[in-house]
Amino acid sequence: MKFSSTGSQNVKSVSCCLLFDPQGQIHHVHRVVTMEGAPDTSQAELEAQTLRVALNLGLDTKRLQVLHVAANEFSERAHYSVDPVKRTLKIEALPSRTGLRGAKS
C-alpha cells in the first residue's frame, strides 16, 4: 500500500502493527497514516490502538502477540505469516493468475 498525498496534504509516514498467534498466523493488521503537520504516533499508542480495534472486532487478544513491521513490507499478491521464533514477517507469493482468463468448460 503506497500513499503519497491526500488532497493538498502529504503523507509523512505510515506505521504498521500486527497481531499474530503462537503458530505465526496473522489475525489483525493495523496501519496508521500520519499526514505532514500531524503529531507522530508512538509505538506504544500504535500497539494500544491495534489491540483496541482487534478487541472491538471480537478477537481474543490474550493469546496474540504484537509485531511492528514496515508498511512497505506488504505487497498485494502474497500470503503473510510470522516466524514466531525470529519474530519476522514471512512472505509466500501467491500462484499466478495466468491461464485463468478465457477458460471454457
Side-chain angles (χ1 to χ4, degrees):
M1 176 181 294
K2 182 179 184 220
F3 297 102
S4 59
S5 71
T6 303
S8 61
Q9 299 293 316
N10 290 322
V11 172
K12 178 178 172 182
S13 65
V14 180
S15 301
C16 187
C17 186
L18 55 88
L19 300 176
F20 67 97
D21 66 25
Q23 291 74 40
Q25 181 180 355
I26 297 170
H27 290 263
H28 181 66
V29 177
H30 186 73
R31 289 182 179 91
V32 172
V33 177
T34 304
M35 306 305 289
E36 285 183 355
D40 289 324
T41 302
S42 70
Q43 281 197 339
E45 179 56 25
L46 177 58
E47 286 182 21
Q49 287 179 13
T50 303
L51 290 165
R52 268 194 312 271
V53 171
L55 279 170
N56 288 338
L57 293 171
L59 295 175
D60 178 9
T61 59
K62 291 176 191 160
R63 65 184 194 90
L64 301 177
Q65 297 179 50
V66 174
L67 181 66
H68 292 266
V69 296
N72 64 358
E73 288 189 51
F74 289 95
S75 66
E76 291 191 27
R77 297 237 350 114
H79 173 76
Y80 297 92
S81 61
V82 173
D83 180 322
V85 175
K86 295 179 182 176
R87 296 186 57 82
T88 56
L89 195 62
K90 293 179 4 182
I91 302 168
E92 180 183 329
L94 295 176
S96 170
R97 292 186 181 187
T98 307
L100 295 180
R101 285 189 193 200
K104 296 181 181 180
S105 46

XYZ file of all heavy atoms in Angstrom:
806
model
N 0.850 -1.164 0.000
C 0.000 0.000 0.000
C 0.892 1.221 0.000
O 1.771 1.351 0.830
C -0.884 -0.036 1.240
C -1.743 1.181 1.379
S -2.774 1.143 2.857
C -3.832 -0.215 2.491
N 0.684 2.120 -0.953
C 1.522 3.311 -1.048
C 0.638 4.543 -1.078
O -0.289 4.633 -1.864
C 2.383 3.258 -2.296
C 3.300 4.441 -2.393
C 4.164 4.375 -3.601
C 5.101 5.554 -3.553
N 5.328 6.182 -4.772
N 0.915 5.470 -0.189
C 0.238 6.750 -0.155
C 1.286 7.816 -0.394
O 2.402 7.699 0.061
C -0.381 7.018 1.224
C -1.445 6.056 1.629
C -1.171 5.034 2.523
C -2.717 6.175 1.130
C -2.150 4.155 2.925
C -3.712 5.298 1.524
C -3.430 4.289 2.421
N 0.921 8.879 -1.065
C 1.844 9.994 -1.182
C 1.173 11.303 -0.813
O 1.799 12.208 -0.306
C 2.427 10.086 -2.592
O 1.391 10.247 -3.530
N -0.135 11.412 -1.068
C -0.835 12.625 -0.665
C -2.324 12.360 -0.580
O -2.837 11.393 -1.123
C -0.567 13.772 -1.642
O -1.229 13.526 -2.854
N -2.986 13.227 0.150
C -4.441 13.200 0.238
C -4.878 14.630 0.008
O -4.715 15.476 0.883
C -4.902 12.704 1.627
O -4.336 11.421 1.836
C -6.397 12.632 1.721
N -5.390 14.898 -1.166
C -5.732 16.276 -1.495
C -4.480 17.107 -1.511
O -3.521 16.803 -2.196
N -4.462 18.175 -0.692
C -3.291 19.051 -0.650
C -2.329 18.670 0.476
O -1.319 19.324 0.666
C -3.741 20.500 -0.473
O -4.439 20.622 0.756
N -2.627 17.604 1.214
C -1.781 17.166 2.319
C -0.880 16.013 1.872
O -1.312 15.138 1.138
C -2.633 16.699 3.496
C -3.536 17.773 4.053
C -2.740 18.879 4.708
O -1.804 18.627 5.451
N -3.103 20.118 4.408
N 0.358 16.011 2.337
C 1.286 14.933 2.020
C 1.414 13.984 3.197
O 1.351 14.397 4.352
C 2.670 15.490 1.673
C 2.653 16.220 0.350
O 1.981 15.804 -0.584
N 3.382 17.315 0.277
N 1.632 12.732 2.870
C 1.821 11.715 3.900
C 3.229 11.848 4.465
O 4.211 11.880 3.733
C 1.597 10.302 3.324
C 1.980 9.234 4.337
C 0.157 10.134 2.870
N 3.296 11.889 5.792
C 4.576 11.974 6.486
C 5.123 10.568 6.737
O 6.303 10.305 6.531
C 4.362 12.706 7.803
C 5.547 12.849 8.690
C 5.124 13.642 9.923
C 6.171 13.693 10.978
N 5.667 14.427 12.163
N 4.251 9.645 7.191
C 4.697 8.288 7.469
C 3.498 7.347 7.533
O 2.365 7.779 7.694
C 5.461 8.226 8.801
O 4.589 8.527 9.869
N 3.799 6.055 7.392
C 2.806 5.003 7.569
C 3.415 3.991 8.532
O 4.492 3.466 8.281
C 2.434 4.309 6.240
C 1.395 3.229 6.469
C 1.939 5.317 5.213
N 2.728 3.755 9.638
C 3.185 2.787 10.642
C 2.275 1.575 10.596
O 1.079 1.701 10.337
C 3.143 3.402 12.043
O 3.956 4.541 12.100
N 2.833 0.405 10.862
C 2.066 -0.829 10.761
C 2.374 -1.734 11.952
O 3.527 -1.932 12.309
C 2.423 -1.523 9.456
S 1.421 -2.945 9.092
N 1.305 -2.272 12.536
C 1.418 -3.167 13.673
C 0.486 -4.342 13.410
O -0.619 -4.153 12.898
C 1.005 -2.404 14.928
S 1.238 -3.288 16.473
N 0.919 -5.538 13.734
C 0.058 -6.696 13.506
C 0.005 -7.578 14.738
O 0.864 -7.514 15.610
C 0.498 -7.482 12.271
C 1.928 -7.979 12.192
C 2.046 -9.343 12.848
C 2.349 -8.062 10.744
N -1.038 -8.388 14.802
C -1.223 -9.352 15.881
C -1.174 -10.747 15.290
O -1.845 -11.021 14.291
C -2.576 -9.131 16.569
C -2.791 -7.771 17.207
C -4.215 -7.671 17.766
C -1.770 -7.515 18.301
N -0.378 -11.629 15.919
C -0.239 -12.987 15.410
C -0.312 -13.988 16.557
O -0.049 -13.653 17.719
C 1.064 -13.149 14.621
C 2.317 -13.029 15.458
C 2.966 -14.156 15.939
C 2.848 -11.794 15.765
C 4.116 -14.060 16.704
C 4.003 -11.681 16.530
C 4.638 -12.819 16.997
N -0.687 -15.216 16.217
C -0.807 -16.269 17.229
C 0.505 -17.042 17.362
O 1.446 -16.807 16.603
C -2.004 -17.183 16.931
C -1.856 -17.998 15.658
O -0.714 -18.274 15.214
O -2.889 -18.381 15.091
N 0.595 -17.968 18.338
C 1.852 -18.703 18.550
C 2.327 -19.524 17.349
O 3.512 -19.839 17.248
C 1.518 -19.630 19.736
C 0.436 -18.914 20.470
C -0.380 -18.252 19.395
N 1.422 -19.865 16.425
C 1.824 -20.595 15.219
C 2.289 -19.657 14.102
O 2.753 -20.092 13.067
C 0.665 -21.459 14.698
C 0.324 -22.636 15.594
C -0.417 -22.214 16.863
O -1.281 -21.342 16.829
N -0.065 -22.819 17.971
N 2.116 -18.350 14.287
C 2.558 -17.378 13.290
C 1.472 -16.870 12.376
O 1.738 -16.051 11.497
N 0.227 -17.310 12.570
C -0.866 -16.828 11.727
C -1.234 -15.403 12.146
O -1.430 -15.120 13.331
C -2.089 -17.723 11.844
C -3.242 -17.263 10.974
C -4.461 -18.160 11.095
O -4.436 -19.193 11.751
N -5.531 -17.764 10.452
N -1.345 -14.520 11.161
C -1.693 -13.123 11.414
C -3.212 -13.019 11.528
O -3.946 -13.478 10.659
C -1.161 -12.213 10.291
C 0.372 -12.272 10.259
C -1.654 -10.776 10.487
C 0.991 -11.600 9.053
N -3.670 -12.372 12.602
C -5.105 -12.215 12.837
C -5.585 -10.789 12.615
O -6.783 -10.574 12.403
C -5.458 -12.656 14.258
C -5.326 -14.125 14.439
N -6.392 -14.981 14.340
C -4.238 -14.902 14.686
C -5.982 -16.221 14.538
N -4.672 -16.199 14.739
N -4.686 -9.836 12.696
C -5.108 -8.438 12.524
C -3.909 -7.588 12.116
O -2.803 -7.773 12.636
C -5.702 -7.902 13.830
C -6.179 -6.492 13.750
N -7.248 -6.110 12.969
C -5.725 -5.372 14.339
C -7.430 -4.802 13.098
N -6.521 -4.332 13.921
N -4.136 -6.668 11.178
C -3.120 -5.698 10.760
C -3.721 -4.312 10.941
O -4.844 -4.052 10.515
C -2.706 -5.908 9.283
C -1.707 -4.843 8.860
C -2.137 -7.304 9.073
N -2.981 -3.432 11.581
C -3.447 -2.064 11.831
C -2.406 -1.092 11.281
O -1.215 -1.227 11.572
C -3.634 -1.859 13.335
C -4.246 -0.549 13.691
N -5.579 -0.262 13.476
C -3.706 0.549 14.261
C -5.836 0.967 13.896
N -4.718 1.480 14.373
N -2.861 -0.147 10.473
C -1.967 0.866 9.908
C -2.401 2.242 10.373
O -3.594 2.518 10.465
C -2.010 0.829 8.381
C -1.361 -0.380 7.773
C -1.416 -0.279 6.237
N -0.794 -1.408 5.629
C -1.411 -2.533 5.294
N -2.689 -2.674 5.538
N -0.751 -3.522 4.718
N -1.431 3.104 10.611
C -1.694 4.496 10.939
C -0.953 5.347 9.925
O 0.260 5.223 9.767
C -1.226 4.848 12.372
C -1.335 6.340 12.623
C -2.032 4.071 13.395
N -1.708 6.181 9.228
C -1.133 7.109 8.255
C -1.053 8.477 8.924
O -2.060 8.991 9.416
C -2.005 7.186 6.976
C -1.428 8.204 6.002
C -2.128 5.814 6.334
N 0.145 9.041 8.959
C 0.355 10.350 9.570
C 0.631 11.367 8.466
O 1.538 11.168 7.657
C 1.540 10.322 10.563
O 1.284 9.309 11.537
C 1.726 11.668 11.244
N -0.172 12.393 8.451
C -0.023 13.441 7.446
C 0.979 14.480 7.948
O 1.174 14.636 9.166
C -1.370 14.112 7.175
C -2.476 13.130 6.791
S -2.086 12.068 5.391
C -2.150 13.234 4.065
N 1.602 15.203 7.015
C 2.530 16.274 7.394
C 1.811 17.266 8.288
O 0.651 17.609 8.048
C 3.077 16.979 6.153
C 4.111 16.167 5.418
C 4.698 16.893 4.220
O 4.246 18.005 3.886
O 5.606 16.321 3.605
N 2.498 17.684 9.341
C 1.926 18.638 10.283
C 1.224 17.980 11.455
O 0.953 18.626 12.453
N 0.916 16.689 11.351
C 0.270 15.966 12.452
C 1.340 15.350 13.352
O 2.433 15.025 12.898
C -0.640 14.875 11.898
N 1.019 15.177 14.635
C 2.000 14.547 15.530
C 2.175 13.071 15.209
O 1.237 12.407 14.756
C 1.389 14.730 16.919
C -0.066 14.915 16.678
C -0.202 15.551 15.318
N 3.375 12.563 15.439
C 3.647 11.144 15.232
C 2.921 10.309 16.280
O 2.677 10.759 17.392
C 5.149 10.864 15.323
C 5.916 11.419 14.140
O 5.374 11.382 13.014
O 7.051 11.879 14.337
N 2.589 9.075 15.910
C 2.006 8.117 16.838
C 3.137 7.262 17.387
O 3.894 6.676 16.613
C 0.973 7.228 16.106
O -0.038 8.057 15.532
C 0.332 6.233 17.058
N 3.240 7.184 18.711
C 4.307 6.381 19.317
C 4.017 4.898 19.095
O 2.880 4.506 18.824
C 4.404 6.662 20.815
O 3.268 6.135 21.483
N 5.048 4.069 19.229
C 4.855 2.625 19.097
C 3.889 2.110 20.159
O 3.071 1.243 19.891
C 6.183 1.879 19.173
C 6.966 1.924 17.897
C 8.051 0.848 17.847
O 8.476 0.331 18.859
N 8.483 0.528 16.646
N 3.971 2.668 21.373
C 3.066 2.237 22.447
C 1.618 2.563 22.099
O 0.716 1.738 22.305
C 3.464 2.896 23.764
N 1.360 3.754 21.554
C -0.002 4.124 21.171
C -0.482 3.298 19.984
O -1.639 2.895 19.925
C -0.097 5.616 20.851
C -1.495 6.068 20.409
C -2.626 5.755 21.403
O -2.370 5.620 22.613
O -3.782 5.623 20.953
N 0.409 3.016 19.037
C 0.044 2.175 17.905
C -0.366 0.786 18.392
O -1.371 0.228 17.942
C 1.198 2.084 16.909
C 0.997 1.174 15.697
C -0.221 1.589 14.879
C 2.244 1.177 14.833
N 0.389 0.218 19.327
C 0.034 -1.090 19.894
C -1.313 -1.025 20.605
O -2.151 -1.919 20.445
C 1.112 -1.562 20.869
C 2.370 -2.026 20.195
C 3.415 -2.533 21.172
O 3.063 -2.908 22.320
O 4.595 -2.557 20.785
N -1.538 0.035 21.393
C -2.803 0.182 22.118
C -3.976 0.279 21.137
O -5.017 -0.352 21.343
C -2.746 1.406 23.032
N -3.802 1.058 20.058
C -4.857 1.176 19.036
C -5.116 -0.168 18.380
O -6.265 -0.560 18.171
C -4.448 2.193 17.958
C -4.487 3.620 18.378
C -4.040 4.542 17.247
O -3.935 4.141 16.086
N -3.752 5.784 17.589
N -4.046 -0.884 18.056
C -4.171 -2.188 17.398
C -4.969 -3.149 18.271
O -5.885 -3.825 17.794
C -2.775 -2.764 17.094
O -2.050 -1.833 16.278
C -2.854 -4.105 16.390
N -4.637 -3.201 19.542
C -5.334 -4.094 20.468
C -6.788 -3.674 20.669
O -7.687 -4.524 20.709
C -4.590 -4.154 21.804
C -3.250 -4.881 21.740
C -2.419 -4.586 22.988
C -3.449 -6.381 21.557
N -7.050 -2.361 20.768
C -8.438 -1.875 20.924
C -9.298 -2.265 19.737
O -10.416 -2.763 19.897
C -8.454 -0.353 21.083
C -8.410 0.154 22.491
C -8.772 1.628 22.591
N -8.097 2.507 21.659
C -6.929 3.092 21.895
N -6.286 2.883 23.029
N -6.395 3.898 21.007
N -8.781 -2.036 18.544
C -9.541 -2.362 17.335
C -9.787 -3.866 17.249
O -10.894 -4.312 16.940
C -8.832 -1.831 16.064
C -9.497 -2.351 14.807
C -8.806 -0.308 16.061
N -8.765 -4.661 17.536
C -8.904 -6.121 17.487
C -9.955 -6.597 18.492
O -10.784 -7.462 18.174
C -7.561 -6.790 17.755
N -9.944 -6.040 19.701
C -10.957 -6.393 20.696
C -12.354 -6.029 20.209
O -13.299 -6.808 20.359
C -10.671 -5.686 22.027
C -9.619 -6.321 22.913
C -9.247 -5.397 24.069
C -10.097 -7.661 23.438
N -12.483 -4.849 19.603
C -13.779 -4.415 19.059
C -14.261 -5.327 17.936
O -15.466 -5.442 17.702
C -13.723 -2.971 18.578
C -13.653 -1.983 19.724
O -14.037 -2.298 20.853
N -13.156 -0.794 19.450
N -13.333 -5.974 17.248
C -13.683 -6.922 16.182
C -13.976 -8.319 16.736
O -14.296 -9.231 15.982
C -12.557 -7.000 15.152
C -12.323 -5.746 14.323
C -11.052 -5.874 13.492
C -13.529 -5.474 13.417
N -13.822 -8.483 18.051
C -14.124 -9.764 18.673
C -12.960 -10.739 18.737
O -13.160 -11.923 19.020
N -11.750 -10.272 18.500
C -10.587 -11.162 18.561
C -10.152 -11.376 20.007
O -10.224 -10.466 20.835
C -9.425 -10.576 17.764
C -9.638 -10.456 16.263
C -8.458 -9.756 15.618
C -9.836 -11.817 15.646
N -9.683 -12.577 20.310
C -9.151 -12.909 21.624
C -7.689 -12.471 21.646
O -6.792 -13.221 21.249
C -9.276 -14.411 21.881
C -8.687 -14.830 23.213
O -8.329 -13.950 24.030
O -8.573 -16.051 23.437
N -7.429 -11.270 22.104
C -6.077 -10.712 22.038
C -5.156 -11.271 23.110
O -3.941 -11.071 23.022
C -6.121 -9.178 22.153
O -6.735 -8.824 23.398
C -6.896 -8.564 20.998
N -5.684 -11.989 24.096
C -4.837 -12.525 25.179
C -3.801 -13.510 24.652
O -2.724 -13.635 25.210
C -5.705 -13.199 26.236
C -6.553 -12.238 27.011
C -7.454 -12.970 27.975
C -8.474 -11.994 28.534
N -9.631 -12.664 29.080
N -4.132 -14.228 23.583
C -3.198 -15.229 23.055
C -2.386 -14.705 21.871
O -1.589 -15.430 21.297
C -3.961 -16.498 22.655
C -4.918 -16.302 21.513
C -5.708 -17.576 21.222
N -6.370 -17.473 19.941
C -5.850 -17.849 18.787
N -4.659 -18.380 18.735
N -6.532 -17.708 17.675
N -2.589 -13.447 21.501
C -1.905 -12.881 20.340
C -0.715 -12.027 20.768
O -0.716 -11.419 21.829
C -2.879 -12.039 19.516
C -4.103 -12.778 18.977
C -5.017 -11.808 18.238
C -3.701 -13.943 18.090
N 0.298 -11.998 19.897
C 1.488 -11.193 20.130
C 1.523 -10.049 19.129
O 0.952 -10.138 18.041
C 2.741 -12.043 19.980
C 2.822 -13.171 20.993
C 4.070 -13.993 20.783
O 5.169 -13.459 20.683
N 3.899 -15.309 20.705
N 2.235 -9.000 19.496
C 2.339 -7.796 18.680
C 3.660 -7.797 17.921
O 4.692 -8.190 18.459
C 2.260 -6.539 19.570
C 2.507 -5.271 18.774
C 0.933 -6.479 20.297
N 3.611 -7.354 16.656
C 4.828 -7.172 15.867
C 4.705 -5.899 15.053
O 3.685 -5.684 14.381
C 5.053 -8.370 14.935
C 6.309 -8.318 14.066
C 7.570 -8.394 14.920
C 6.302 -9.453 13.046
N 5.716 -5.047 15.133
C 5.776 -3.841 14.300
C 6.531 -4.203 13.028
O 7.586 -4.830 13.093
C 6.508 -2.710 15.027
C 5.766 -2.189 16.201
N 4.938 -1.099 16.132
C 5.701 -2.631 17.477
C 4.410 -0.882 17.313
N 4.857 -1.795 18.159
N 5.989 -3.824 11.883
C 6.650 -4.069 10.598
C 6.578 -2.803 9.756
O 5.698 -1.958 9.958
C 6.020 -5.255 9.823
C 6.194 -6.555 10.585
C 4.566 -5.013 9.527
N 7.484 -2.688 8.820
C 7.440 -1.571 7.878
C 6.235 -1.761 6.958
O 6.000 -2.871 6.470
C 8.725 -1.504 7.071
N 5.470 -0.713 6.767
C 4.259 -0.808 5.942
C 4.574 -1.259 4.521
O 3.768 -1.932 3.882
C 3.530 0.533 5.925
N 5.772 -0.943 4.027
C 6.129 -1.323 2.661
C 6.503 -2.795 2.533
O 6.810 -3.273 1.448
C 7.237 -0.425 2.112
C 8.534 -0.565 2.891
O 8.620 -1.308 3.863
N 9.535 0.176 2.462
N 6.489 -3.549 3.658
C 6.783 -4.983 3.588
C 5.595 -5.783 3.058
O 5.720 -6.965 2.786
C 7.191 -5.516 4.967
C 8.565 -5.047 5.391
C 9.041 -5.761 6.636
O 8.995 -7.004 6.659
O 9.444 -5.062 7.573
N 4.447 -5.158 2.935
C 3.261 -5.832 2.421
C 3.083 -5.521 0.938
O 3.091 -4.361 0.547
C 2.002 -5.367 3.164
C 1.923 -5.868 4.568
C 2.377 -5.095 5.616
C 1.383 -7.110 4.836
C 2.297 -5.544 6.919
C 1.296 -7.583 6.133
C 1.753 -6.800 7.171
N 2.959 -6.566 0.120
C 2.601 -6.362 -1.281
C 1.208 -6.934 -1.468
O 0.693 -7.619 -0.598
C 3.611 -7.044 -2.208
O 3.541 -8.433 -2.058
N 0.603 -6.671 -2.585
C -0.792 -7.053 -2.752
C -1.013 -8.543 -2.978
O -2.004 -9.079 -2.528
C -1.409 -6.252 -3.892
C -1.536 -4.792 -3.524
C -2.372 -4.022 -4.497
O -3.247 -4.628 -5.146
O -2.152 -2.817 -4.604
N -0.123 -9.218 -3.684
C -0.363 -10.622 -4.034
C 0.595 -11.540 -3.301
O 1.548 -12.038 -3.877
C -0.236 -10.813 -5.535
C -1.256 -10.033 -6.301
C -2.170 -10.787 -7.230
N -1.912 -12.156 -7.511
C -2.730 -13.156 -7.125
N -3.798 -12.905 -6.428
N -2.464 -14.391 -7.446
N 0.356 -11.746 -2.009
C 1.197 -12.651 -1.232
C 0.428 -13.119 -0.007
O -0.536 -12.499 0.411
C 2.486 -11.957 -0.812
N 0.873 -14.233 0.557
C 0.342 -14.733 1.816
C 1.387 -14.429 2.881
O 2.564 -14.721 2.705
C 0.094 -16.243 1.735
C -0.301 -16.830 3.044
N -1.562 -16.676 3.567
C 0.403 -17.535 3.955
C -1.614 -17.273 4.744
N -0.427 -17.809 5.002
N 0.949 -13.851 3.998
C 1.865 -13.432 5.044
C 1.632 -14.230 6.318
O 0.507 -14.575 6.663
C 1.677 -11.949 5.363
C 1.997 -11.080 4.193
C 1.006 -10.704 3.294
C 3.293 -10.653 3.968
C 1.312 -9.918 2.200
C 3.601 -9.871 2.876
C 2.608 -9.505 1.999
O 2.907 -8.739 0.917
N 2.711 -14.489 7.020
C 2.665 -15.082 8.348
C 3.885 -14.552 9.085
O 4.669 -13.783 8.546
C 2.665 -16.615 8.273
O 3.840 -17.080 7.645
N 4.029 -14.973 10.334
C 5.154 -14.521 11.147
C 5.947 -15.745 11.583
O 5.372 -16.763 11.956
C 4.649 -13.743 12.385
C 5.792 -13.420 13.337
C 3.931 -12.470 11.958
N 7.255 -15.639 11.526
C 8.104 -16.657 12.120
C 8.112 -16.322 13.614
O 8.705 -15.317 14.026
C 9.524 -16.587 11.553
C 10.448 -17.633 12.149
O 10.338 -17.907 13.369
O 11.280 -18.158 11.409
N 7.410 -17.125 14.439
C 7.270 -16.764 15.850
C 8.574 -16.807 16.645
O 8.691 -16.132 17.661
C 6.257 -17.773 16.393
C 6.162 -18.854 15.391
C 6.698 -18.335 14.095
N 9.548 -17.559 16.185
C 10.835 -17.627 16.888
C 11.682 -16.398 16.561
O 12.189 -15.708 17.450
C 11.597 -18.925 16.529
C 12.979 -18.931 17.153
C 10.796 -20.141 16.961
N 11.806 -16.096 15.273
C 12.609 -14.948 14.845
C 11.845 -13.631 14.942
O 12.443 -12.564 14.868
C 13.068 -15.140 13.398
C 14.002 -16.302 13.207
C 14.386 -16.422 11.751
C 15.295 -17.606 11.497
N 15.594 -17.771 10.064
N 10.491 -13.716 15.061
C 9.620 -12.534 15.090
C 9.838 -11.666 13.851
O 10.029 -10.461 13.934
C 9.812 -11.744 16.378
C 9.387 -12.532 17.615
C 9.442 -11.718 18.877
N 8.640 -10.508 18.842
C 7.324 -10.453 19.077
N 6.664 -11.544 19.366
N 6.700 -9.297 19.032
N 9.830 -12.346 12.696
C 9.965 -11.662 11.417
C 8.801 -12.048 10.510
O 8.215 -13.128 10.650
C 11.287 -12.028 10.713
O 11.352 -13.455 10.567
C 12.484 -11.534 11.502
N 8.487 -11.175 9.580
C 7.413 -11.413 8.623
C 7.877 -12.418 7.575
O 8.980 -12.295 7.035
C 7.032 -10.090 7.957
C 5.737 -10.030 7.189
C 4.544 -10.297 8.108
C 5.581 -8.664 6.535
N 7.045 -13.432 7.310
C 7.323 -14.412 6.259
C 6.372 -14.126 5.106
O 5.193 -13.870 5.317
C 7.096 -15.834 6.781
C 8.069 -16.248 7.838
C 7.902 -17.621 8.426
C 6.864 -18.526 7.884
N 6.761 -19.828 8.554
N 6.896 -14.190 3.894
C 6.110 -13.868 2.704
C 6.133 -15.054 1.756
O 7.202 -15.565 1.426
C 6.671 -12.619 1.990
C 6.683 -11.432 2.955
C 5.865 -12.303 0.751
C 7.475 -10.245 2.459
N 4.953 -15.478 1.328
C 4.825 -16.564 0.360
C 4.022 -16.033 -0.833
O 2.860 -15.657 -0.685
C 4.087 -17.741 0.989
C 3.903 -18.906 0.061
C 3.095 -20.018 0.723
O 3.175 -20.187 1.941
O 2.368 -20.696 -0.023
N 4.658 -15.983 -1.984
C 3.981 -15.479 -3.184
C 2.793 -16.364 -3.537
O 2.839 -17.582 -3.362
C 4.951 -15.410 -4.352
N 1.738 -15.740 -4.007
C 0.562 -16.490 -4.450
C 0.782 -16.972 -5.877
O 1.525 -16.354 -6.638
C -0.681 -15.604 -4.387
C -1.092 -15.160 -2.990
C -2.278 -14.214 -3.075
C -1.431 -16.345 -2.108
N 0.127 -18.058 -6.258
C 0.254 -18.538 -7.638
C -0.224 -17.479 -8.627
O -1.115 -16.691 -8.325
C -0.652 -19.765 -7.695
C -0.985 -20.098 -6.289
C -0.770 -18.877 -5.465
N 0.369 -17.492 -9.784
C -0.009 -16.562 -10.853
C -1.431 -16.852 -11.304
O -1.882 -17.986 -11.303
C 0.953 -16.717 -12.021
O 0.474 -16.011 -13.124
N -2.117 -15.820 -11.734
C -3.460 -15.973 -12.278
C -3.444 -16.287 -13.773
O -4.471 -16.410 -14.396
C -4.276 -14.712 -12.049
C -4.600 -14.468 -10.614
C -5.512 -13.300 -10.510
N -5.835 -13.025 -9.123
C -6.709 -12.137 -8.746
N -7.367 -11.431 -9.642
N -6.954 -11.932 -7.475
N -2.281 -16.394 -14.349
C -2.142 -16.662 -15.780
C -2.892 -17.921 -16.153
O -2.815 -18.928 -15.462
C -0.651 -16.820 -16.159
O 0.061 -15.705 -15.691
C -0.481 -16.946 -17.650
N -3.596 -17.867 -17.241
C -4.311 -19.038 -17.723
C -5.730 -19.142 -17.214
O -6.475 -20.008 -17.648
N -6.126 -18.264 -16.317
C -7.490 -18.317 -15.799
C -8.491 -17.621 -16.698
O -9.649 -17.932 -16.694
C -7.550 -17.698 -14.388
C -6.782 -18.441 -13.308
C -6.923 -17.718 -11.980
C -7.280 -19.872 -13.171
N -8.034 -16.676 -17.489
C -8.942 -15.942 -18.369
C -9.347 -16.800 -19.562
O -8.540 -17.528 -20.103
C -8.271 -14.682 -18.897
C -8.188 -13.606 -17.887
C -7.732 -12.388 -18.612
N -7.332 -11.395 -17.638
C -7.255 -10.141 -17.909
N -7.521 -9.693 -19.109
N -6.899 -9.281 -17.002
N -10.537 -16.647 -19.930
C -10.999 -17.281 -21.156
C -11.126 -18.782 -21.072
O -11.305 -19.449 -22.085
N -11.017 -19.335 -19.887
C -11.160 -20.786 -19.758
C -12.588 -21.181 -20.060
O -13.528 -20.538 -19.614
C -10.765 -21.220 -18.345
N -12.753 -22.195 -20.874
C -14.089 -22.650 -21.232
C -14.286 -24.059 -20.754
O -13.377 -24.866 -20.771
C -14.270 -22.579 -22.746
C -14.205 -21.169 -23.281
C -14.422 -21.149 -24.762
C -14.324 -19.725 -25.275
N -14.520 -19.629 -26.683
N -15.502 -24.376 -20.357
C -15.766 -25.739 -19.911
C -16.492 -26.517 -20.957
O -17.072 -26.062 -21.867
C -16.578 -25.715 -18.616
O -17.645 -24.812 -18.673
